[in-house]
Amino acid sequence: MNAPLHNPEERIKKRKLAHLRASLTRWHRRLGIVAATFVLVLSVTGILLSHADRFSLYKKSLSPWLANGFYSHTAPTPVGVELDGRWLLSVDGYLFLSGTALDQQIAEFRGAAFTGQLLVAAGPSEMLVLTPDGELIEYLNGATLPAAIDRVGLTADNLIALEGDGDLYVADSDLLTWRSATPSDTISNWSNPTSALPTTVKEQALQAHGVGTVTTHRFIADIHSGRIMGPFGPFIMDLTAVIFMVLAGTGIYMWWRQRRPHPRSQRQK
């Protein structure tokens, strides 16, 4: 005698299989949504990398601040002063005038002043006397300065002034001699170096200083490989590859289950 068409064991088996198929379908959809994001990123970056020469990815560089945000090196903080519409910046002691590197350095930038004919840049114990284009005329050190420099500025008569050791001093028009300031010397235009600089001014100086030179190709390649996310980034991309394999396996299984002849249809035959 044949076994009953629907015995309890067969019902339990069918119920388990139905529950398994439902669970697989739910997780297949969830993993598919997660994987879709990575597929989109990998596809776009893969296309860009395949045509790197066409898009000049090797020649283009990220801005220093974007490079500093994604990579481990730390960009120095430029400080500078605006002088007659131009910016004089100090980056790690190196001086940049309107984005152009000067040959001179200042260990600790205390400020700058411009008389219209002479440009001076000062540190605690040194002062550079420059032409308006930044060429060195004279270097003044502690032996020729009246005091250690706290700040520099201009008088109402357009003469260079400095403050040091609590005293004020004023130079002659050629910066050959210094004298103590008098009540008649009005010094209101003190130099105040700031790090709140225009973005283009910062980037020009940092690019000239060699900071933040990360090519666009490297940036896109690091996105593609996951390295942009730090040391665990490649493992995240490996996990994404595992998700792809799970999706492929569950998709093949569900397709196979749908194509299997149903037991009931076999019995009817």
Side-chain angles (χ1 to χ4, degrees), residues 171-192:
D172 61 18
S173 58
D174 296 321
L175 276 82
L176 296 177
T177 59
W178 294 85
R179 60 175 174 82
S180 297
T182 64
S184 62
D185 293 315
T186 304
I187 310 173
S188 57
N189 191 13
W190 289 107
S191 178
N192 184 25

Side-chain angles (χ1 to χ4, degrees), residues 81-267:
V81 294
E82 188 176 10
L83 303 168
D84 197 25
R86 301 181 302 167
W87 283 90
L88 179 65
L89 271 64
S90 172
V91 183
D92 275 349
Y94 294 89
L95 296 178
F96 299 86
L97 181 61
S98 299
T100 302
L102 304 183
D103 295 331
Q104 294 73 36
Q105 301 179 35
I106 290 288
E108 184 181 342
F109 189 56
R110 290 290 174 87
F114 182 54
T115 66
Q117 296 179 340
L118 296 176
L119 170 65
V120 300
S125 59
E126 58 187 340
M127 180 179 288
L128 301 176
V129 184
L130 310 168
T131 67
D133 294 329
E135 296 181 5
L136 181 65
I137 297 175
E138 188 176 3
Y139 174 81
L140 305 179
N141 56 21
T144 53
L145 292 170
I149 300 174
D150 294 325
R151 57 178 179 168
V152 295
L154 285 175
T155 68
D157 297 327
N158 221 29
L159 298 175
I160 300 295
L162 67 82
E163 181 180 3
D165 299 331
D167 295 319
L168 301 178
Y169 301 90
V170 178
D172 61 18
S173 58
D174 296 321
L175 276 82
L176 296 177
T177 59
W178 294 85
R179 60 175 174 82
S180 297
T182 64
S184 62
D185 293 315
T186 304
I187 310 173
S188 57
N189 191 13
W190 289 107
S191 178
N192 184 25
T194 178
S195 59
L197 305 170
T199 302
T200 54
V201 173
K202 287 181 181 179
E203 292 185 354
Q204 286 177 354
L206 289 175
Q207 288 284 6
H209 189 52
V211 176
T213 53
V214 177
T215 64
T216 306
H217 180 272
R218 177 188 170 185
F219 181 61
I220 295 175
D222 287 345
I223 293 176
H224 190 80
S225 65
R227 290 192 298 268
I228 198 69
M229 293 180 283
F232 296 102
F235 295 104
I236 295 175
M237 300 309 291
D238 292 343
L239 178 60
T240 303
V242 173
I243 292 176
F244 290 158
M245 291 187 286
V246 171
L247 287 173
T250 55
I252 292 172
Y253 175 77
M254 289 187 291
W255 171 82
W256 175 73
R257 289 293 303 177
Q258 289 177 351
R259 288 184 60 87
R260 278 185 65 188
H262 197 277
R264 181 178 296 177
S265 63
Q266 287 182 336
R267 293 192 186 96

Side-chain angles (χ1 to χ4, degrees), residues 2 11 15 25 45 70 75 96 101 142 153 160 240 266:
N2 294 332
R11 290 176 182 173
R15 193 175 295 117
T25 301
T45 55
F70 282 101
F96 299 86
I160 300 295
T240 303
Q266 287 182 336

Side-chain angles (χ1 to χ4, degrees), residues 28-46:
H28 189 84
R29 291 172 180 171
R30 293 170 183 171
L31 292 176
I33 294 173
V34 174
T37 303
F38 288 93
V39 168
L40 180 62
V41 172
L42 290 172
S43 300
V44 172
T45 55

Side-chain angles (χ1 to χ4, degrees), residues 62-75:
L62 299 184
S63 69
W65 300 105
L66 184 60
N68 184 49
F70 282 101
Y71 292 90
S72 58
H73 56 68
T74 302

